[in-house]
Amino acid sequence: MSGVDTQLKAELRLRMYVRCSECASLIDLAEGNRPQRDIEAADMMAHKFEGHSIWLELLDIPDAV
Ligand SMILES: [Zn+2]
């Protein structure tokens, strides 16, 4: 089952990375990379109101305030 879990996590990570520049930045930081994208204001709003931190938590990525 852990293989499936890993695959789902990889897909979720990619989706959040593409969808939201704040998530992308947090993912980059969590993986020790320099953030590739500037965080856009619209994404900051979506990130907060769509509760992206719940998804990031599933990926073991801390959501900085
Ligand atoms: Zn986000």
Side-chain angles (χ1 to χ4, degrees), residues 18-34:
V18 170
R19 173 180 183 137
C20 170
S21 55
E22 181 155 359
C23 283
S25 172
L26 291 167
I27 289 167
D28 276 332
L29 287 173
E31 294 178 350
N33 301 320
R34 221 153 56 94

PDB file of all heavy atoms in Angstrom, residues 18-34:
ATOM      1  N   VAL A  18       1.598  23.320  -9.060  1.00  0.00           N
ATOM      2  CA  VAL A  18       1.181  24.004 -10.280  1.00  0.00           C
ATOM      3  C   VAL A  18       0.079  25.014  -9.988  1.00  0.00           C
ATOM      4  O   VAL A  18       0.038  26.098 -10.565  1.00  0.00           O
ATOM      5  CB  VAL A  18       0.691  22.966 -11.324  1.00  0.00           C
ATOM      6  CG1 VAL A  18       0.020  23.648 -12.495  1.00  0.00           C
ATOM      7  CG2 VAL A  18       1.864  22.115 -11.791  1.00  0.00           C
ATOM      8  N   ARG A  19      -0.793  24.651  -9.050  1.00  0.00           N
ATOM      9  CA  ARG A  19      -1.996  25.450  -8.817  1.00  0.00           C
ATOM     10  C   ARG A  19      -1.716  26.751  -8.082  1.00  0.00           C
ATOM     11  O   ARG A  19      -2.358  27.774  -8.331  1.00  0.00           O
ATOM     12  CB  ARG A  19      -2.979  24.606  -8.019  1.00  0.00           C
ATOM     13  CG  ARG A  19      -4.176  25.412  -7.591  1.00  0.00           C
ATOM     14  CD  ARG A  19      -5.161  24.597  -6.812  1.00  0.00           C
ATOM     15  NE  ARG A  19      -6.300  25.435  -6.498  1.00  0.00           N
ATOM     16  CZ  ARG A  19      -7.551  25.048  -6.582  1.00  0.00           C
ATOM     17  NH1 ARG A  19      -7.807  23.841  -6.971  1.00  0.00           N
ATOM     18  NH2 ARG A  19      -8.509  25.865  -6.266  1.00  0.00           N
ATOM     19  N   CYS A  20      -0.797  26.719  -7.129  1.00  0.00           N
ATOM     20  CA  CYS A  20      -0.687  27.832  -6.193  1.00  0.00           C
ATOM     21  C   CYS A  20       0.779  28.193  -5.986  1.00  0.00           C
ATOM     22  O   CYS A  20       1.584  27.350  -5.608  1.00  0.00           O
ATOM     23  CB  CYS A  20      -1.348  27.411  -4.879  1.00  0.00           C
ATOM     24  SG  CYS A  20      -1.072  28.532  -3.512  1.00  0.00           S
ATOM     25  N   SER A  21       1.107  29.437  -6.224  1.00  0.00           N
ATOM     26  CA  SER A  21       2.512  29.854  -6.112  1.00  0.00           C
ATOM     27  C   SER A  21       2.978  29.851  -4.658  1.00  0.00           C
ATOM     28  O   SER A  21       4.173  29.693  -4.386  1.00  0.00           O
ATOM     29  CB  SER A  21       2.710  31.230  -6.743  1.00  0.00           C
ATOM     30  OG  SER A  21       1.838  32.188  -6.187  1.00  0.00           O
ATOM     31  N   GLU A  22       2.049  30.015  -3.707  1.00  0.00           N
ATOM     32  CA  GLU A  22       2.463  29.951  -2.300  1.00  0.00           C
ATOM     33  C   GLU A  22       2.792  28.512  -1.914  1.00  0.00           C
ATOM     34  O   GLU A  22       3.785  28.249  -1.245  1.00  0.00           O
ATOM     35  CB  GLU A  22       1.383  30.521  -1.376  1.00  0.00           C
ATOM     36  CG  GLU A  22       1.825  30.463   0.077  1.00  0.00           C
ATOM     37  CD  GLU A  22       1.155  31.494   0.960  1.00  0.00           C
ATOM     38  OE1 GLU A  22       0.359  32.286   0.475  1.00  0.00           O
ATOM     39  OE2 GLU A  22       1.468  31.483   2.167  1.00  0.00           O
ATOM     40  N   CYS A  23       1.942  27.586  -2.348  1.00  0.00           N
ATOM     41  CA  CYS A  23       2.234  26.170  -2.114  1.00  0.00           C
ATOM     42  C   CYS A  23       3.562  25.791  -2.757  1.00  0.00           C
ATOM     43  O   CYS A  23       4.382  25.091  -2.159  1.00  0.00           O
ATOM     44  CB  CYS A  23       1.123  25.278  -2.678  1.00  0.00           C
ATOM     45  SG  CYS A  23      -0.358  25.215  -1.655  1.00  0.00           S
ATOM     46  N   ALA A  24       3.773  26.258  -3.986  1.00  0.00           N
ATOM     47  CA  ALA A  24       5.012  25.943  -4.695  1.00  0.00           C
ATOM     48  C   ALA A  24       6.217  26.421  -3.897  1.00  0.00           C
ATOM     49  O   ALA A  24       7.217  25.712  -3.765  1.00  0.00           O
ATOM     50  CB  ALA A  24       4.997  26.591  -6.078  1.00  0.00           C
ATOM     51  N   SER A  25       6.096  27.612  -3.355  1.00  0.00           N
ATOM     52  CA  SER A  25       7.182  28.185  -2.572  1.00  0.00           C
ATOM     53  C   SER A  25       7.438  27.368  -1.305  1.00  0.00           C
ATOM     54  O   SER A  25       8.586  27.072  -0.952  1.00  0.00           O
ATOM     55  CB  SER A  25       6.826  29.629  -2.223  1.00  0.00           C
ATOM     56  OG  SER A  25       7.759  30.158  -1.323  1.00  0.00           O
ATOM     57  N   LEU A  26       6.352  26.966  -0.616  1.00  0.00           N
ATOM     58  CA  LEU A  26       6.488  26.182   0.615  1.00  0.00           C
ATOM     59  C   LEU A  26       7.070  24.796   0.319  1.00  0.00           C
ATOM     60  O   LEU A  26       7.885  24.277   1.084  1.00  0.00           O
ATOM     61  CB  LEU A  26       5.121  26.039   1.302  1.00  0.00           C
ATOM     62  CG  LEU A  26       4.553  27.338   1.894  1.00  0.00           C
ATOM     63  CD1 LEU A  26       3.092  27.154   2.265  1.00  0.00           C
ATOM     64  CD2 LEU A  26       5.366  27.765   3.106  1.00  0.00           C
ATOM     65  N   ILE A  27       6.652  24.220  -0.800  1.00  0.00           N
ATOM     66  CA  ILE A  27       7.180  22.916  -1.199  1.00  0.00           C
ATOM     67  C   ILE A  27       8.667  23.029  -1.498  1.00  0.00           C
ATOM     68  O   ILE A  27       9.465  22.205  -1.067  1.00  0.00           O
ATOM     69  CB  ILE A  27       6.405  22.369  -2.422  1.00  0.00           C
ATOM     70  CG1 ILE A  27       4.982  21.961  -1.998  1.00  0.00           C
ATOM     71  CG2 ILE A  27       7.134  21.174  -3.030  1.00  0.00           C
ATOM     72  CD1 ILE A  27       4.038  21.700  -3.172  1.00  0.00           C
ATOM     73  N   ASP A  28       9.031  24.071  -2.231  1.00  0.00           N
ATOM     74  CA  ASP A  28      10.448  24.297  -2.538  1.00  0.00           C
ATOM     75  C   ASP A  28      11.265  24.429  -1.253  1.00  0.00           C
ATOM     76  O   ASP A  28      12.319  23.797  -1.107  1.00  0.00           O
ATOM     77  CB  ASP A  28      10.618  25.565  -3.381  1.00  0.00           C
ATOM     78  CG  ASP A  28      10.396  25.309  -4.866  1.00  0.00           C
ATOM     79  OD1 ASP A  28      10.644  24.171  -5.304  1.00  0.00           O
ATOM     80  OD2 ASP A  28       9.988  26.234  -5.565  1.00  0.00           O
ATOM     81  N   LEU A  29      10.776  25.232  -0.322  1.00  0.00           N
ATOM     82  CA  LEU A  29      11.504  25.445   0.930  1.00  0.00           C
ATOM     83  C   LEU A  29      11.636  24.141   1.716  1.00  0.00           C
ATOM     84  O   LEU A  29      12.701  23.822   2.252  1.00  0.00           O
ATOM     85  CB  LEU A  29      10.789  26.499   1.782  1.00  0.00           C
ATOM     86  CG  LEU A  29      10.902  27.947   1.284  1.00  0.00           C
ATOM     87  CD1 LEU A  29      10.010  28.845   2.112  1.00  0.00           C
ATOM     88  CD2 LEU A  29      12.347  28.419   1.351  1.00  0.00           C
ATOM     89  N   ALA A  30      10.527  23.364   1.774  1.00  0.00           N
ATOM     90  CA  ALA A  30      10.523  22.113   2.534  1.00  0.00           C
ATOM     91  C   ALA A  30      11.503  21.114   1.941  1.00  0.00           C
ATOM     92  O   ALA A  30      12.050  20.267   2.652  1.00  0.00           O
ATOM     93  CB  ALA A  30       9.122  21.520   2.569  1.00  0.00           C
ATOM     94  N   GLU A  31      11.720  21.216   0.633  1.00  0.00           N
ATOM     95  CA  GLU A  31      12.625  20.281  -0.034  1.00  0.00           C
ATOM     96  C   GLU A  31      14.038  20.841  -0.129  1.00  0.00           C
ATOM     97  O   GLU A  31      14.908  20.242  -0.754  1.00  0.00           O
ATOM     98  CB  GLU A  31      12.071  19.951  -1.430  1.00  0.00           C
ATOM     99  CG  GLU A  31      10.752  19.180  -1.339  1.00  0.00           C
ATOM    100  CD  GLU A  31      10.146  18.887  -2.706  1.00  0.00           C
ATOM    101  OE1 GLU A  31      10.639  19.442  -3.703  1.00  0.00           O
ATOM    102  OE2 GLU A  31       9.177  18.112  -2.747  1.00  0.00           O
ATOM    103  N   GLY A  32      14.233  22.002   0.485  1.00  0.00           N
ATOM    104  CA  GLY A  32      15.573  22.572   0.521  1.00  0.00           C
ATOM    105  C   GLY A  32      15.983  23.267  -0.763  1.00  0.00           C
ATOM    106  O   GLY A  32      17.164  23.472  -1.007  1.00  0.00           O
ATOM    107  N   ASN A  33      14.988  23.618  -1.584  1.00  0.00           N
ATOM    108  CA  ASN A  33      15.291  24.328  -2.832  1.00  0.00           C
ATOM    109  C   ASN A  33      14.973  25.816  -2.680  1.00  0.00           C
ATOM    110  O   ASN A  33      14.184  26.197  -1.825  1.00  0.00           O
ATOM    111  CB  ASN A  33      14.436  23.771  -3.979  1.00  0.00           C
ATOM    112  CG  ASN A  33      14.686  22.292  -4.191  1.00  0.00           C
ATOM    113  OD1 ASN A  33      15.817  21.837  -4.118  1.00  0.00           O
ATOM    114  ND2 ASN A  33      13.624  21.555  -4.436  1.00  0.00           N
ATOM    115  N   ARG A  34      15.578  26.588  -3.540  1.00  0.00           N
ATOM    116  CA  ARG A  34      15.239  27.993  -3.572  1.00  0.00           C
ATOM    117  C   ARG A  34      13.910  28.133  -4.314  1.00  0.00           C
ATOM    118  O   ARG A  34      13.758  27.567  -5.395  1.00  0.00           O
ATOM    119  CB  ARG A  34      16.322  28.783  -4.304  1.00  0.00           C
ATOM    120  CG  ARG A  34      16.651  30.111  -3.641  1.00  0.00           C
ATOM    121  CD  ARG A  34      18.081  30.516  -3.953  1.00  0.00           C
ATOM    122  NE  ARG A  34      18.326  30.570  -5.397  1.00  0.00           N
ATOM    123  CZ  ARG A  34      18.213  31.689  -6.122  1.00  0.00           C
ATOM    124  NH1 ARG A  34      17.878  32.817  -5.563  1.00  0.00           N
ATOM    125  NH2 ARG A  34      18.454  31.678  -7.406  1.00  0.00           N
TER     126      ARG A  34
END
